[in-house]
Amino acid sequence: MNDSMRRAAAILLVIMGGAAPWWTGSGAPASASANDAMVAAIAAAPERAAANDPRLKAAWRFEEGGWIYVHLEGDPGAVGYQHGYLLAAEIEDAFAAVSAGMTHSTERDWGFFRKAAHEMLWPKIDAEYQQELQGIVEGLRAGSGSKLDVDDIVAFNAFEELPDYYVPWLNKREKAANAPNLKSPGNCSAFVATGSWTKDGKIVIAHNNWTSYRNGERWRIVFDIAPKNGYRILMDGFPGVIASDDDFGINSDGLMVTETTITQFEGWDPNGKAEFVRARKALQYAGSIDEYTKIMLDGNNGGYANDWLLGDRKTGEIAQLELGLKAHKLWRTKDGVLSGSNWARDAEVLKEDTPEFDANNKESSPNARRARWDELLQENKGKIDVGVAEKMLGDHADTTENKEDANEHTLCGHVDGSPRGVKEWEWQPYYPGGAVQGKATDATMAKDMRMMARMGHPCGGDFLAKPFLTAHPEYAWQEPYLRDMKAGPWTEFRAGQTRKERGKS
Ligand SMILES: [Zn+2]
């Protein structure tokens, strides 16, 4: 293919979106008869019509470094439609993996989650995000012929909050006999630094996402969202979910946002607003640490309770919002560093919201990583930049053994290598989970909406599903969904970026 042909094909691909284009005859063997090809073309006619939908004009998709980048733009319905259409195949695949995990751990059927989404979550979702979620369903159906409806997509968007927050709360309330032991997750290692801690005195923020490899290998979307209302957003994310959800993002008014989950958090308010809605809204509409805090507190349902690490590049100020349900606390500074590895520290939050958490157990994953953050950040004081942050996210120093040993104690988590697992999260020995990808940025990059991202373990190591499942048949139920997770390179992404700009067309 010459350059102009390749460009034309690339443009056509953008127009067609991510779904398999009908004209490539994908799925049909090359030797298919003309008749078969014609039948295929007729069958694919609705997809072809969908590709001409005017709502798709402003959107595009490309892949790089193991990530799938999508640009979404317009009113909420259009943003949703583009999301659903461009990521149709990935949404179907992620929905299967996530819903299998939700029903497996809770021993509740999918209808239970649909009902919770419909009756409890949906009525409190802002109209704007209801439209976006409906748009995802429409785009998904047009893109892949999916049968999923809005209740499915809402329950799916709440995958971090319904199984591990709502269900244990409900089991306790209903005094359910033989209820599974469900624990809120502990996801992620992160920090935000500013002032004398960083090389240029401005903010540096970094995060690696800890989750099951089953879900984590699918957490490979870079969303560039130009919404009709609110600020431009660049964030990593999960196919079909409107919030970053792991979370890492920046907005065009200067907010830099990440979090780590509070281990052994207990609590749920059925009258509150879903966390995934508040988190998306805060990233889209907050121009300051105060505004961010206000949006997260408005309708706080206790779901997916996090220690939010925030930066405002306009002022150089950073903050930590420890968002419990019964208690919360905000710390802020223009000269300091704030880290997170799934531990709460406010006395009230510890007492009211995480009564089981043992802050003194040096062997636990959150506390071992907390000690490592303290060492590593102190060692790098005054030198922290994005390059240093990338290295830290891949760190394998185990503070409990005083040696390099990638496991549940290290900032780059590899729990599949740990005979201990993480009992605080109900991760059994050798649980296939840990750090699944990393992101970092600084104030200068954030000003022009850029960030670095690496898919897979931030250290660069690969996870291979087949040998793991052979060695650990206790995880055989994951076999249909568990895939290899190979690390990509650290890759820069920018809002408004097109494939052509990267010289890859
Ligand atoms: Zn690692």
Side-chain angles (χ1 to χ4, degrees), residues 14-18 47-60 71-73 78-86 139 142-143:
V14 165
I15 294 166
M16 295 301 297
E47 279 81 0
R48 205 177 348 156
N52 294 323
D53 191 298
R55 284 174 287 187
L56 292 173
K57 275 213 178 80
W60 67 81
H71 169 84
L72 314 177
E73 182 173 344
V79 164
Y81 187 86
Q82 295 158 7
H83 181 169
Y85 187 84
L86 293 179

PDB file of all heavy atoms in Angstrom, residues 14-18 47-60 71-73 78-86 139 142-143:
ATOM      1  N   VAL A  14     -11.424   4.885  10.448  1.00  0.00           N
ATOM      2  CA  VAL A  14     -11.904   5.811  11.474  1.00  0.00           C
ATOM      3  C   VAL A  14     -13.398   6.013  11.318  1.00  0.00           C
ATOM      4  O   VAL A  14     -14.157   5.945  12.271  1.00  0.00           O
ATOM      5  CB  VAL A  14     -11.135   7.151  11.397  1.00  0.00           C
ATOM      6  CG1 VAL A  14     -11.853   8.226  12.192  1.00  0.00           C
ATOM      7  CG2 VAL A  14      -9.706   6.957  11.901  1.00  0.00           C
ATOM      8  N   ILE A  15     -13.806   6.225  10.055  1.00  0.00           N
ATOM      9  CA  ILE A  15     -15.231   6.426   9.782  1.00  0.00           C
ATOM     10  C   ILE A  15     -16.023   5.186  10.205  1.00  0.00           C
ATOM     11  O   ILE A  15     -17.081   5.280  10.803  1.00  0.00           O
ATOM     12  CB  ILE A  15     -15.472   6.734   8.273  1.00  0.00           C
ATOM     13  CG1 ILE A  15     -14.842   8.091   7.918  1.00  0.00           C
ATOM     14  CG2 ILE A  15     -16.964   6.748   7.961  1.00  0.00           C
ATOM     15  CD1 ILE A  15     -14.722   8.332   6.434  1.00  0.00           C
ATOM     16  N   MET A  16     -15.440   4.026   9.891  1.00  0.00           N
ATOM     17  CA  MET A  16     -16.131   2.775  10.205  1.00  0.00           C
ATOM     18  C   MET A  16     -16.132   2.474  11.694  1.00  0.00           C
ATOM     19  O   MET A  16     -16.899   1.646  12.158  1.00  0.00           O
ATOM     20  CB  MET A  16     -15.439   1.587   9.501  1.00  0.00           C
ATOM     21  CG  MET A  16     -15.490   1.607   7.990  1.00  0.00           C
ATOM     22  SD  MET A  16     -17.156   1.614   7.355  1.00  0.00           S
ATOM     23  CE  MET A  16     -17.718   0.038   7.984  1.00  0.00           C
ATOM     24  N   GLY A  17     -15.212   3.094  12.407  1.00  0.00           N
ATOM     25  CA  GLY A  17     -15.128   2.799  13.830  1.00  0.00           C
ATOM     26  C   GLY A  17     -14.373   1.515  14.047  1.00  0.00           C
ATOM     27  O   GLY A  17     -13.744   0.967  13.132  1.00  0.00           O
ATOM     28  N   GLY A  18     -14.423   1.034  15.277  1.00  0.00           N
ATOM     29  CA  GLY A  18     -13.608  -0.109  15.640  1.00  0.00           C
ATOM     30  C   GLY A  18     -14.206  -1.441  15.249  1.00  0.00           C
ATOM     31  O   GLY A  18     -13.524  -2.447  15.188  1.00  0.00           O
ATOM     32  N   GLU A  47     -24.922  -2.445   9.951  1.00  0.00           N
ATOM     33  CA  GLU A  47     -23.660  -1.897  10.438  1.00  0.00           C
ATOM     34  C   GLU A  47     -23.143  -0.805   9.501  1.00  0.00           C
ATOM     35  O   GLU A  47     -22.620   0.198   9.933  1.00  0.00           O
ATOM     36  CB  GLU A  47     -22.600  -2.999  10.592  1.00  0.00           C
ATOM     37  CG  GLU A  47     -22.721  -3.811  11.875  1.00  0.00           C
ATOM     38  CD  GLU A  47     -23.776  -4.896  11.797  1.00  0.00           C
ATOM     39  OE1 GLU A  47     -24.427  -5.028  10.740  1.00  0.00           O
ATOM     40  OE2 GLU A  47     -23.961  -5.608  12.808  1.00  0.00           O
ATOM     41  N   ARG A  48     -23.322  -1.071   8.172  1.00  0.00           N
ATOM     42  CA  ARG A  48     -22.867  -0.091   7.201  1.00  0.00           C
ATOM     43  C   ARG A  48     -23.651   1.208   7.365  1.00  0.00           C
ATOM     44  O   ARG A  48     -23.103   2.297   7.352  1.00  0.00           O
ATOM     45  CB  ARG A  48     -23.068  -0.646   5.785  1.00  0.00           C
ATOM     46  CG  ARG A  48     -22.142  -0.037   4.788  1.00  0.00           C
ATOM     47  CD  ARG A  48     -22.321  -0.646   3.417  1.00  0.00           C
ATOM     48  NE  ARG A  48     -23.148  -1.861   3.407  1.00  0.00           N
ATOM     49  CZ  ARG A  48     -23.803  -2.282   2.335  1.00  0.00           C
ATOM     50  NH1 ARG A  48     -23.779  -1.600   1.222  1.00  0.00           N
ATOM     51  NH2 ARG A  48     -24.487  -3.390   2.362  1.00  0.00           N
ATOM     52  N   ALA A  49     -24.941   1.084   7.550  1.00  0.00           N
ATOM     53  CA  ALA A  49     -25.780   2.264   7.748  1.00  0.00           C
ATOM     54  C   ALA A  49     -25.353   2.983   9.022  1.00  0.00           C
ATOM     55  O   ALA A  49     -25.263   4.203   9.062  1.00  0.00           O
ATOM     56  CB  ALA A  49     -27.246   1.846   7.833  1.00  0.00           C
ATOM     57  N   ALA A  50     -25.068   2.210  10.071  1.00  0.00           N
ATOM     58  CA  ALA A  50     -24.684   2.809  11.340  1.00  0.00           C
ATOM     59  C   ALA A  50     -23.404   3.616  11.203  1.00  0.00           C
ATOM     60  O   ALA A  50     -23.239   4.663  11.812  1.00  0.00           O
ATOM     61  CB  ALA A  50     -24.499   1.720  12.395  1.00  0.00           C
ATOM     62  N   ALA A  51     -22.481   3.114  10.345  1.00  0.00           N
ATOM     63  CA  ALA A  51     -21.205   3.804  10.170  1.00  0.00           C
ATOM     64  C   ALA A  51     -21.398   5.190   9.578  1.00  0.00           C
ATOM     65  O   ALA A  51     -20.572   6.075   9.738  1.00  0.00           O
ATOM     66  CB  ALA A  51     -20.290   2.980   9.285  1.00  0.00           C
ATOM     67  N   ASN A  52     -22.519   5.396   8.887  1.00  0.00           N
ATOM     68  CA  ASN A  52     -22.805   6.709   8.314  1.00  0.00           C
ATOM     69  C   ASN A  52     -23.579   7.618   9.271  1.00  0.00           C
ATOM     70  O   ASN A  52     -23.951   8.722   8.916  1.00  0.00           O
ATOM     71  CB  ASN A  52     -23.609   6.545   7.021  1.00  0.00           C
ATOM     72  CG  ASN A  52     -22.795   5.850   5.948  1.00  0.00           C
ATOM     73  OD1 ASN A  52     -21.595   6.079   5.842  1.00  0.00           O
ATOM     74  ND2 ASN A  52     -23.443   4.989   5.165  1.00  0.00           N
ATOM     75  N   ASP A  53     -23.837   7.107  10.483  1.00  0.00           N
ATOM     76  CA  ASP A  53     -24.582   7.901  11.455  1.00  0.00           C
ATOM     77  C   ASP A  53     -23.845   9.210  11.736  1.00  0.00           C
ATOM     78  O   ASP A  53     -22.651   9.188  12.033  1.00  0.00           O
ATOM     79  CB  ASP A  53     -24.733   7.089  12.759  1.00  0.00           C
ATOM     80  CG  ASP A  53     -25.708   7.742  13.716  1.00  0.00           C
ATOM     81  OD1 ASP A  53     -25.433   8.897  14.143  1.00  0.00           O
ATOM     82  OD2 ASP A  53     -26.741   7.130  14.016  1.00  0.00           O
ATOM     83  N   PRO A  54     -24.538  10.348  11.602  1.00  0.00           N
ATOM     84  CA  PRO A  54     -23.844  11.637  11.795  1.00  0.00           C
ATOM     85  C   PRO A  54     -23.227  11.790  13.196  1.00  0.00           C
ATOM     86  O   PRO A  54     -22.289  12.557  13.367  1.00  0.00           O
ATOM     87  CB  PRO A  54     -24.957  12.673  11.571  1.00  0.00           C
ATOM     88  CG  PRO A  54     -26.247  11.920  11.638  1.00  0.00           C
ATOM     89  CD  PRO A  54     -25.948  10.505  11.232  1.00  0.00           C
ATOM     90  N   ARG A  55     -23.745  11.017  14.150  1.00  0.00           N
ATOM     91  CA  ARG A  55     -23.180  11.116  15.502  1.00  0.00           C
ATOM     92  C   ARG A  55     -21.729  10.652  15.554  1.00  0.00           C
ATOM     93  O   ARG A  55     -21.005  10.959  16.489  1.00  0.00           O
ATOM     94  CB  ARG A  55     -24.018  10.285  16.489  1.00  0.00           C
ATOM     95  CG  ARG A  55     -25.337  10.948  16.872  1.00  0.00           C
ATOM     96  CD  ARG A  55     -26.192  10.034  17.720  1.00  0.00           C
ATOM     97  NE  ARG A  55     -26.758   8.947  16.919  1.00  0.00           N
ATOM     98  CZ  ARG A  55     -27.648   8.074  17.380  1.00  0.00           C
ATOM     99  NH1 ARG A  55     -28.058   8.142  18.634  1.00  0.00           N
ATOM    100  NH2 ARG A  55     -28.127   7.116  16.595  1.00  0.00           N
ATOM    101  N   LEU A  56     -21.306   9.889  14.535  1.00  0.00           N
ATOM    102  CA  LEU A  56     -19.938   9.350  14.557  1.00  0.00           C
ATOM    103  C   LEU A  56     -18.910  10.268  13.902  1.00  0.00           C
ATOM    104  O   LEU A  56     -17.714  10.040  13.992  1.00  0.00           O
ATOM    105  CB  LEU A  56     -19.897   7.981  13.852  1.00  0.00           C
ATOM    106  CG  LEU A  56     -20.627   6.846  14.576  1.00  0.00           C
ATOM    107  CD1 LEU A  56     -20.668   5.604  13.693  1.00  0.00           C
ATOM    108  CD2 LEU A  56     -19.954   6.530  15.905  1.00  0.00           C
ATOM    109  N   LYS A  57     -19.400  11.325  13.259  1.00  0.00           N
ATOM    110  CA  LYS A  57     -18.503  12.181  12.467  1.00  0.00           C
ATOM    111  C   LYS A  57     -17.318  12.718  13.256  1.00  0.00           C
ATOM    112  O   LYS A  57     -16.214  12.788  12.761  1.00  0.00           O
ATOM    113  CB  LYS A  57     -19.300  13.365  11.890  1.00  0.00           C
ATOM    114  CG  LYS A  57     -20.000  13.035  10.590  1.00  0.00           C
ATOM    115  CD  LYS A  57     -20.051  14.260   9.669  1.00  0.00           C
ATOM    116  CE  LYS A  57     -20.707  13.909   8.354  1.00  0.00           C
ATOM    117  NZ  LYS A  57     -22.182  13.898   8.499  1.00  0.00           N
ATOM    118  N   ALA A  58     -17.572  13.133  14.499  1.00  0.00           N
ATOM    119  CA  ALA A  58     -16.519  13.800  15.268  1.00  0.00           C
ATOM    120  C   ALA A  58     -15.618  12.826  16.025  1.00  0.00           C
ATOM    121  O   ALA A  58     -14.684  13.253  16.696  1.00  0.00           O
ATOM    122  CB  ALA A  58     -17.170  14.773  16.259  1.00  0.00           C
ATOM    123  N   ALA A  59     -15.902  11.525  15.925  1.00  0.00           N
ATOM    124  CA  ALA A  59     -15.190  10.555  16.768  1.00  0.00           C
ATOM    125  C   ALA A  59     -14.171   9.742  15.977  1.00  0.00           C
ATOM    126  O   ALA A  59     -14.302   9.604  14.764  1.00  0.00           O
ATOM    127  CB  ALA A  59     -16.200   9.611  17.402  1.00  0.00           C
ATOM    128  N   TRP A  60     -13.175   9.217  16.658  1.00  0.00           N
ATOM    129  CA  TRP A  60     -12.248   8.288  16.003  1.00  0.00           C
ATOM    130  C   TRP A  60     -11.613   7.362  17.009  1.00  0.00           C
ATOM    131  O   TRP A  60     -11.729   7.565  18.213  1.00  0.00           O
ATOM    132  CB  TRP A  60     -11.200   9.038  15.211  1.00  0.00           C
ATOM    133  CG  TRP A  60     -10.221   9.855  16.013  1.00  0.00           C
ATOM    134  CD1 TRP A  60      -9.105   9.391  16.654  1.00  0.00           C
ATOM    135  CD2 TRP A  60     -10.240  11.267  16.228  1.00  0.00           C
ATOM    136  NE1 TRP A  60      -8.433  10.435  17.250  1.00  0.00           N
ATOM    137  CE2 TRP A  60      -9.106  11.599  17.007  1.00  0.00           C
ATOM    138  CE3 TRP A  60     -11.115  12.302  15.832  1.00  0.00           C
ATOM    139  CZ2 TRP A  60      -8.817  12.916  17.403  1.00  0.00           C
ATOM    140  CZ3 TRP A  60     -10.811  13.597  16.237  1.00  0.00           C
ATOM    141  CH2 TRP A  60      -9.687  13.897  17.012  1.00  0.00           C
ATOM    142  N   HIS A  71     -11.465   9.073  20.652  1.00  0.00           N
ATOM    143  CA  HIS A  71     -11.852  10.475  20.807  1.00  0.00           C
ATOM    144  C   HIS A  71     -13.374  10.547  20.704  1.00  0.00           C
ATOM    145  O   HIS A  71     -13.947  10.115  19.702  1.00  0.00           O
ATOM    146  CB  HIS A  71     -11.208  11.344  19.721  1.00  0.00           C
ATOM    147  CG  HIS A  71     -11.773  12.730  19.687  1.00  0.00           C
ATOM    148  ND1 HIS A  71     -11.322  13.740  20.521  1.00  0.00           N
ATOM    149  CD2 HIS A  71     -12.781  13.268  18.955  1.00  0.00           C
ATOM    150  CE1 HIS A  71     -12.032  14.840  20.288  1.00  0.00           C
ATOM    151  NE2 HIS A  71     -12.929  14.586  19.339  1.00  0.00           N
ATOM    152  N   LEU A  72     -13.998  11.079  21.745  1.00  0.00           N
ATOM    153  CA  LEU A  72     -15.458  11.193  21.794  1.00  0.00           C
ATOM    154  C   LEU A  72     -15.805  12.668  21.933  1.00  0.00           C
ATOM    155  O   LEU A  72     -15.150  13.394  22.684  1.00  0.00           O
ATOM    156  CB  LEU A  72     -16.018  10.413  22.991  1.00  0.00           C
ATOM    157  CG  LEU A  72     -15.479   8.986  23.216  1.00  0.00           C
ATOM    158  CD1 LEU A  72     -16.083   8.385  24.487  1.00  0.00           C
ATOM    159  CD2 LEU A  72     -15.768   8.095  22.016  1.00  0.00           C
ATOM    160  N   GLU A  73     -16.850  13.092  21.241  1.00  0.00           N
ATOM    161  CA  GLU A  73     -17.120  14.526  21.236  1.00  0.00           C
ATOM    162  C   GLU A  73     -18.594  14.835  21.006  1.00  0.00           C
ATOM    163  O   GLU A  73     -19.244  14.173  20.194  1.00  0.00           O
ATOM    164  CB  GLU A  73     -16.293  15.161  20.095  1.00  0.00           C
ATOM    165  CG  GLU A  73     -16.431  16.648  19.977  1.00  0.00           C
ATOM    166  CD  GLU A  73     -15.465  17.250  18.954  1.00  0.00           C
ATOM    167  OE1 GLU A  73     -14.492  16.564  18.554  1.00  0.00           O
ATOM    168  OE2 GLU A  73     -15.713  18.393  18.549  1.00  0.00           O
ATOM    169  N   ALA A  78     -24.425  11.699  21.979  1.00  0.00           N
ATOM    170  CA  ALA A  78     -23.440  11.437  20.925  1.00  0.00           C
ATOM    171  C   ALA A  78     -22.172  10.821  21.509  1.00  0.00           C
ATOM    172  O   ALA A  78     -21.625   9.864  20.950  1.00  0.00           O
ATOM    173  CB  ALA A  78     -23.111  12.733  20.184  1.00  0.00           C
ATOM    174  N   VAL A  79     -21.717  11.351  22.639  1.00  0.00           N
ATOM    175  CA  VAL A  79     -20.514  10.799  23.293  1.00  0.00           C
ATOM    176  C   VAL A  79     -20.745   9.319  23.624  1.00  0.00           C
ATOM    177  O   VAL A  79     -19.883   8.467  23.384  1.00  0.00           O
ATOM    178  CB  VAL A  79     -20.160  11.621  24.570  1.00  0.00           C
ATOM    179  CG1 VAL A  79     -19.190  10.863  25.469  1.00  0.00           C
ATOM    180  CG2 VAL A  79     -19.576  12.972  24.172  1.00  0.00           C
ATOM    181  N   GLY A  80     -21.927   9.020  24.138  1.00  0.00           N
ATOM    182  CA  GLY A  80     -22.249   7.633  24.463  1.00  0.00           C
ATOM    183  C   GLY A  80     -22.315   6.758  23.223  1.00  0.00           C
ATOM    184  O   GLY A  80     -21.763   5.658  23.189  1.00  0.00           O
ATOM    185  N   TYR A  81     -22.969   7.274  22.180  1.00  0.00           N
ATOM    186  CA  TYR A  81     -23.116   6.498  20.939  1.00  0.00           C
ATOM    187  C   TYR A  81     -21.746   6.164  20.346  1.00  0.00           C
ATOM    188  O   TYR A  81     -21.473   5.027  19.953  1.00  0.00           O
ATOM    189  CB  TYR A  81     -23.952   7.291  19.927  1.00  0.00           C
ATOM    190  CG  TYR A  81     -24.303   6.499  18.691  1.00  0.00           C
ATOM    191  CD1 TYR A  81     -25.432   5.683  18.672  1.00  0.00           C
ATOM    192  CD2 TYR A  81     -23.506   6.557  17.559  1.00  0.00           C
ATOM    193  CE1 TYR A  81     -25.750   4.941  17.540  1.00  0.00           C
ATOM    194  CE2 TYR A  81     -23.808   5.822  16.427  1.00  0.00           C
ATOM    195  CZ  TYR A  81     -24.934   5.011  16.414  1.00  0.00           C
ATOM    196  OH  TYR A  81     -25.239   4.279  15.300  1.00  0.00           O
ATOM    197  N   GLN A  82     -20.876   7.174  20.313  1.00  0.00           N
ATOM    198  CA  GLN A  82     -19.517   6.966  19.787  1.00  0.00           C
ATOM    199  C   GLN A  82     -18.776   5.915  20.613  1.00  0.00           C
ATOM    200  O   GLN A  82     -18.109   5.036  20.069  1.00  0.00           O
ATOM    201  CB  GLN A  82     -18.756   8.299  19.814  1.00  0.00           C
ATOM    202  CG  GLN A  82     -19.342   9.360  18.884  1.00  0.00           C
ATOM    203  CD  GLN A  82     -18.954  10.780  19.290  1.00  0.00           C
ATOM    204  OE1 GLN A  82     -18.135  10.986  20.192  1.00  0.00           O
ATOM    205  NE2 GLN A  82     -19.539  11.766  18.633  1.00  0.00           N
ATOM    206  N   HIS A  83     -18.890   6.043  21.923  1.00  0.00           N
ATOM    207  CA  HIS A  83     -18.246   5.093  22.844  1.00  0.00           C
ATOM    208  C   HIS A  83     -18.737   3.660  22.566  1.00  0.00           C
ATOM    209  O   HIS A  83     -17.938   2.744  22.378  1.00  0.00           O
ATOM    210  CB  HIS A  83     -18.582   5.536  24.277  1.00  0.00           C
ATOM    211  CG  HIS A  83     -17.986   4.706  25.369  1.00  0.00           C
ATOM    212  ND1 HIS A  83     -18.010   5.107  26.690  1.00  0.00           N
ATOM    213  CD2 HIS A  83     -17.385   3.496  25.371  1.00  0.00           C
ATOM    214  CE1 HIS A  83     -17.414   4.185  27.437  1.00  0.00           C
ATOM    215  NE2 HIS A  83     -17.036   3.202  26.666  1.00  0.00           N
ATOM    216  N   GLY A  84     -20.044   3.513  22.499  1.00  0.00           N
ATOM    217  CA  GLY A  84     -20.616   2.187  22.278  1.00  0.00           C
ATOM    218  C   GLY A  84     -20.248   1.606  20.925  1.00  0.00           C
ATOM    219  O   GLY A  84     -19.950   0.420  20.798  1.00  0.00           O
ATOM    220  N   TYR A  85     -20.245   2.474  19.912  1.00  0.00           N
ATOM    221  CA  TYR A  85     -19.978   2.003  18.555  1.00  0.00           C
ATOM    222  C   TYR A  85     -18.510   1.672  18.335  1.00  0.00           C
ATOM    223  O   TYR A  85     -18.161   0.593  17.852  1.00  0.00           O
ATOM    224  CB  TYR A  85     -20.443   3.058  17.541  1.00  0.00           C
ATOM    225  CG  TYR A  85     -20.360   2.555  16.123  1.00  0.00           C
ATOM    226  CD1 TYR A  85     -21.391   1.798  15.583  1.00  0.00           C
ATOM    227  CD2 TYR A  85     -19.240   2.816  15.337  1.00  0.00           C
ATOM    228  CE1 TYR A  85     -21.312   1.302  14.295  1.00  0.00           C
ATOM    229  CE2 TYR A  85     -19.152   2.322  14.044  1.00  0.00           C
ATOM    230  CZ  TYR A  85     -20.193   1.568  13.530  1.00  0.00           C
ATOM    231  OH  TYR A  85     -20.099   1.082  12.254  1.00  0.00           O
ATOM    232  N   LEU A  86     -17.644   2.611  18.726  1.00  0.00           N
ATOM    233  CA  LEU A  86     -16.205   2.429  18.466  1.00  0.00           C
ATOM    234  C   LEU A  86     -15.607   1.291  19.293  1.00  0.00           C
ATOM    235  O   LEU A  86     -14.617   0.702  18.902  1.00  0.00           O
ATOM    236  CB  LEU A  86     -15.438   3.725  18.748  1.00  0.00           C
ATOM    237  CG  LEU A  86     -15.714   4.910  17.832  1.00  0.00           C
ATOM    238  CD1 LEU A  86     -14.887   6.115  18.268  1.00  0.00           C
ATOM    239  CD2 LEU A  86     -15.403   4.576  16.377  1.00  0.00           C
ATOM    240  N   GLY A 139     -25.178   2.771  20.457  1.00  0.00           N
ATOM    241  CA  GLY A 139     -23.963   2.621  19.652  1.00  0.00           C
ATOM    242  C   GLY A 139     -23.492   1.177  19.627  1.00  0.00           C
ATOM    243  O   GLY A 139     -23.080   0.658  18.591  1.00  0.00           O
ATOM    244  N   ALA A 142     -25.745  -0.833  17.406  1.00  0.00           N
ATOM    245  CA  ALA A 142     -25.469  -0.540  15.994  1.00  0.00           C
ATOM    246  C   ALA A 142     -24.135  -1.148  15.571  1.00  0.00           C
ATOM    247  O   ALA A 142     -23.979  -1.613  14.444  1.00  0.00           O
ATOM    248  CB  ALA A 142     -25.449   0.972  15.770  1.00  0.00           C
ATOM    249  N   GLY A 143     -23.182  -1.155  16.474  1.00  0.00           N
ATOM    250  CA  GLY A 143     -21.837  -1.607  16.127  1.00  0.00           C
ATOM    251  C   GLY A 143     -21.688  -3.109  16.065  1.00  0.00           C
ATOM    252  O   GLY A 143     -20.928  -3.628  15.253  1.00  0.00           O
TER     253      GLY A 143
END
